[in-house]
Amino acid sequence: MVATLRSFGEPLVLFCIGLFVCSSVVSARTLNGFDLTGSLIYEGHIVPGGPGKNGIPAIDQPVFDRADDVSWLEPEQRVIGVNHNGIAKAYPLAILNWHEIVNDRFATDPVVVTYCPLCGSGVVYQALQDGQELTFGVSGLLYNSDVLLYDRQTDSLWSQLHHSAITGPMKGKVLAQLPSVHTRWGAWLKDHPDTLVLSRNTGASRDYTRDPYSGYEDSKLLYFSVEFMSQAFHPKERVIGVELNGRTKAYPFSELAKGALKGVLGDRLGEAVLRIEYNAELQTARVFRGEMEELPVVNLFWFAWYGFHPKTEVYRLKE
């Protein structure tokens, strides 16, 4: 009997050891092929968004049309506008909704244009890190309902609204943000008549006349959970988010609309004197420090800004 127990005991011990080893391997968690070990964000808050890695195809060789040749884009349609190195380009949301990332160049500067339809957030970065040029893809993963990018050079994951890498060899590195404006095509064209426009000739088969997120912006519904929530405003209230010298502040459009005199408001963030140029009709705003320095800001939904900045200051009109 003792011999029988011993004969079963040895395999049992080996089985338990095997379970321990397997659990250790599983704890080095991977999602969509990305190693999350040592992530700067708690692994449990990183979730699959549905498509796998590159399931949403980034645009790597963008083609541009002259404004005169663009007949399909209506004046009221939204674009992300960028004016950099003396070059103006418009990236229609009708295209970004399907691709989320455009790897581009402005003269010799590599630039990546990113857009998360779930957060309504368009952010443009210089695609350089320590002198190395980076190109980006869509990981298929989300944090706080926001897209996680990855660079193809190191497979590191990057948080769009943290502006930084959260895993991999690039972990902790920060991308330099460039000013951009979320506005209507007609307004961008009026201010930049020589603008180039991202072409629908993307190499992918997509119906750019259809909005895959139709109705989402007006609903209180979120498709994915977020770490922090606030009921101070409608979840999809548009805000301009400002980060400066370690401080953050949200400028809700509903508050800006109450006090905008000829579209210009003054404010302070810490020691910085700010000028906010708000256009209620276009649902857009730009922020300047002092007279001339335009700050890179994010135009996005309130829930998304608060989810990443729960200690944010909030602009409210003083009665």
Side-chain angles (χ1 to χ4, degrees):
M1 185 66 173
V2 173
T4 303
L5 286 174
R6 185 176 296 144
S7 65
F8 280 97
E10 289 174 357
L12 181 60
V13 171
L14 291 174
F15 176 72
C16 291
I17 292 174
L19 280 179
F20 176 78
V21 171
C22 289
S23 66
S24 298
V25 171
V26 171
S27 67
R29 188 166 174 241
T30 61
L31 278 177
N32 282 10
F34 294 97
D35 184 0
L36 305 186
T37 305
S39 170
L40 296 180
I41 292 171
Y42 171 56
E43 295 175 11
H45 291 160
I46 299 173
V47 299
K53 181 180 182 180
N54 299 320
I56 297 174
I59 299 175
D60 294 324
Q61 295 179 322
V63 176
F64 289 88
D65 297 323
R66 295 184 307 173
D68 292 344
D69 297 328
V70 178
S71 59
W72 63 272
L73 201 52
E74 298 297 329
E76 68 275 8
Q77 286 185 264
R78 308 295 294 186
V79 301
I80 301 296
V82 183
N83 190 1
H84 181 62
N85 277 352
I87 302 169
K89 294 184 180 182
Y91 302 82
L93 297 196
I95 299 175
L96 293 179
N97 275 331
W98 294 95
H99 295 277
E100 301 188 5
I101 293 175
V102 181
N103 292 295
D104 200 4
R105 305 190 79 84
F106 281 69
T108 59
D109 287 356
V111 168
V112 59
V113 178
T114 72
Y115 182 70
C116 180
L118 296 175
C119 293
S121 52
V123 190
V124 181
Y125 296 108
Q126 290 183 333
L128 284 172
Q129 193 58 235
D130 297 330
Q132 181 182 10
E133 183 174 331
L134 302 178
T135 58
F136 292 85
V138 183
S139 71
L141 301 176
L142 303 170
Y143 167 62
N144 269 350
S145 197
D146 185 50
V147 61
L148 289 177
L149 329 171
Y150 79 94
D151 71 77
R152 298 197 180 105
Q153 285 65 39
T154 72
D155 240 22
S156 300
L157 287 173
W158 298 74
S159 168
Q160 183 206 36
L161 293 180
H162 272 323
H163 318 303
S164 60
I166 61 168
T167 69
M170 291 285 183
K171 183 169 69 174
K173 299 289 187 179
V174 177
L175 290 173
Q177 186 181 346
L178 295 174
S180 62
V181 59
H182 187 306
T183 188
R184 291 180 182 174
W185 162 239
W188 179 260
L189 177 60
K190 181 180 178 181
D191 292 339
H192 303 86
D194 295 329
T195 187
L196 299 173
V197 186
L198 180 65
S199 170
R200 293 188 293 184
N201 179 18
T202 63
S205 178
R206 297 292 188 274
D207 182 3
Y208 297 119
T209 65
R210 184 174 73 84
D211 180 1
Y213 299 90
S214 178
Y216 174 75
E217 185 165 351
D218 299 320
S219 169
K220 289 187 175 181
L221 175 68
L222 303 185
Y223 292 164
F224 296 89
S225 63
V226 294
E227 193 171 353
F228 306 101
M229 277 291 290
S230 166
Q231 304 300 321
F233 301 94
H234 188 292
K236 310 293 177 53
E237 166 85 18
R238 280 268 165 202
V239 307
I240 286 292
V242 180
E243 301 175 62
L244 190 62
N245 298 328
R247 302 179 70 154
T248 62
K249 193 163 188 174
Y251 292 84
F253 284 12
S254 59
E255 292 294 318
L256 293 176
K258 295 176 184 178
L261 179 62
K262 297 183 179 179
V264 180
L265 301 98
D267 194 31
R268 300 185 72 95
L269 183 54
E271 298 299 317
V273 177
L274 303 181
R275 185 178 85 255
I276 300 93
E277 296 183 355
Y278 169 67
N279 189 308
E281 180 184 358
L282 300 179
Q283 285 292 280
T284 192
R286 299 167 70 187
V287 180
F288 296 83
R289 177 165 52 181
E291 291 299 318
M292 299 296 294
E293 182 190 358
E294 182 173 6
L295 297 179
V297 298
V298 186
N299 182 330
L300 76 173
F301 298 139
W302 163 245
F303 88 85
W305 179 259
Y306 188 86
F308 280 83
H309 306 287
K311 296 182 180 180
T312 186
E313 299 176 44
V314 180
Y315 173 85
R316 292 184 184 271
L317 178 67
K318 296 179 181 178
E319 299 296 340

